[in-house]
Amino acid sequence: MAYWDQEKECMPREELEKIQLRRLKEIVFRVYAFVPAYKEKMDQAGIKPDDINKLEDIKNLPFTTKQDLRDNYPFGLFATPMSEVIRIHSSSGTTGKPTVVGYTRRDIEIWAELMARALSSAGATKRSVIQNSYGYGLFTGGLGVHYGAERLGASVIPSSGGNTKRQIMLMQDFGTTELTCTPSYALFMHEVMQEMGVKPADLKIKAGVFGAEPWSENMRREIENKLEIDAYDIYGLSEIIGPGVAIECNAKSGLHIAEDHFLAEIIDPISGQVLEDGNEGELVITTITKEALPLIRYRTRDLSSLNREECECGRTHARMGKVLGRSDDMVIIRGVNVFPSMVESVLLDIPGVEPYYLLVVDRKDNLDFLEVQVEISEKLFSDEVRKLEELGTLINKELESALGIGVKVRLVEPKSIERSEGKARRVIDKRKI
Ligand code: DLL
């Protein structure tokens, strides 16, 4: 079993909870003293740092949201002077100002440590050659994985996203053993490999560490079969630290949250009430060791669940369920909640359908319509029209029964849906325009 830090990863929960409580108290004291926006929120909620005496008291603290980060743009929520901040990242976001996050030297060290932990969990070692195809830059994927791979002692290839043919050449020539990128980019790489006549057997890749966007179990199977590798899910978000908040182990039954640094809760996204373990809801995270940008009860908008039972891998840290969507890429069509990953899962169960699809939502005469564009394989595309019609009808039937709403399916030519080198765009909502 490949642990990076067995003592911490497999610590008895009782001991872990003692550390968590001590750290939670410290962080609450710190934000109350150094971040005026937190003091104001806590005063309004009538709670003082001294009121935190047990872990459950966390539920009395106010939530933090993306809006709080925007309201305090760019550095207003930082808890250290800028002279202590050694790195700034930011996520673009779809509307308004970007979200800005900062790191002290210790924050960067902890992040590297957590990423080394994550890569080890996926089987990487100091002998690995890790090709890091997450984008380098303001996005946390590139540098986050990079520092972790160096901490692990592996040889890291900072290939970043893009220039896919060169990526494949590097894999061949440098003997890449682990690939890190978004799951959609991994599939695109496979497509380019085929065009180049490169087979998985020509490569040394054993595993991939994929995340930064939702992907279904069916998508995992697709990637594992096509690339002949083991695909691990990694989760994280810039606000909390970046990649490395949680990672799968080889049991692949949930992602272990680095609970010695982050406290996780699942809440009902509407009432804000904390839900019991096992229930699906919105993931809320509190950072308990971050210096530059500590966040208390940050609402991630990601939908997941928690399982605190010990895992067969021996790790004691809680597992979060695979994130299948976030409340803001969920589209509500005639009152029904639809996630792109639900569509993905249905499509990938149908032979001849490629894992490239797009949901287009529009409104006509006050009625919402969902069109699902589905790419089909070259082979099927050259088939007779009747076969295509049959396939269209089948996809339609399967989607309607899975989603519970009427759907218009449009089969599109091979390679006509935009390929992604980073986070894939799965939804076009024309209703907002
Ligand atoms: O995507 C950090 C990251 C980089 C994670 C590389 C994993 C690998 P942001 O750009 O701030 O940070 O986007 C964070 O992406 O709130 C989720 O909605 C989504 N997300 C991240 N990982 C996963 C995952 C990075 N494994 C947002 N499954 C998060 C589903 C994910 N969604």
Side-chain angles (χ1 to χ4, degrees), residues 91 134 139-141 145 210-215 233-239 242-244 255 300 302 323-324 326 423:
S91 81
Y134 285 112
F139 175 53
T140 51
V145 172
F210 305 125
E213 64 185 8
W215 51 309
D233 193 359
I234 183 167
Y235 171 82
L237 60 165
S238 329
E239 297 91 314
L255 293 80
T300 64
D302 291 321
V323 174
L324 292 179
R326 40 184 293 126
K423 297 183 192 242

Side-chain angles (χ1 to χ4, degrees), residues 153-267:
S155 316
V156 52
I157 311 172
S159 55
S160 195
N163 205 339
T164 309
K165 281 194 175 142
R166 190 187 61 185
Q167 301 264 5
I168 315 286
M169 184 193 81
L170 295 177
M171 278 176 201
Q172 286 181 290
D173 297 351
F174 297 178
T176 302
T177 54
E178 276 87 10
L179 172 66
T180 56
C181 61
T182 59
S184 52
Y185 193 35
L187 269 184
F188 180 37
M189 285 189 180
H190 173 260
E191 204 171 80
V192 176
M193 266 179 214
Q194 280 186 313
E195 283 166 15
M196 293 167 70
V198 175
K199 296 193 182 58
D202 303 333
L203 303 173
K204 292 201 178 119
I205 308 182
K206 296 193 305 269
V209 180
F210 305 125
E213 64 185 8
W215 51 309
S216 60
E217 278 301 332
N218 276 348
M219 177 86 149
R220 186 208 307 268
R221 225 165 297 136
E222 186 90 13
I223 294 176
E224 290 190 330
N225 292 339
K226 285 191 162 159
L227 286 168
E228 297 174 16
I229 60 171
D230 230 352
Y232 291 86
D233 193 359
I234 183 167
Y235 171 82
L237 60 165
S238 329
E239 297 91 314
I240 296 303
I241 203 160
V245 173
I247 178 77
E248 279 180 331
C249 60
N250 52 10
K252 292 186 188 157
S253 65
L255 293 80
H256 289 280
I257 299 170
E259 271 199 293
D260 44 346
H261 298 276
F262 311 113
L263 301 187
E265 302 167 83
I266 293 287
I267 62 160

Side-chain angles (χ1 to χ4, degrees), residues 73-92:
Y73 177 85
F75 309 136
L77 290 187
F78 286 13
T80 50
M82 282 307 281
S83 55
E84 298 302 310
V85 172
I86 66 159
R87 176 101 65 82
I88 295 168
H89 278 281
S90 121
S91 81
S92 54

Side-chain angles (χ1 to χ4, degrees), residues 336-376:
V336 177
N337 299 349
V338 176
F339 287 105
S341 59
M342 293 156 81
V343 172
E344 176 179 295
S345 204
V346 170
L347 293 178
L348 292 186
D349 264 343
I350 303 174
V353 172
E354 293 293 305
Y356 299 102
Y357 61 95
L358 189 63
L359 279 64
V360 184
V361 192
D362 206 351
R363 179 168 290 168
K364 270 188 210 118
D365 303 327
N366 289 321
L367 253 192
D368 293 341
F369 288 93
L370 171 64
E371 176 181 274
V372 179
Q373 298 181 4
V374 185
E375 212 179 278
I376 52 169

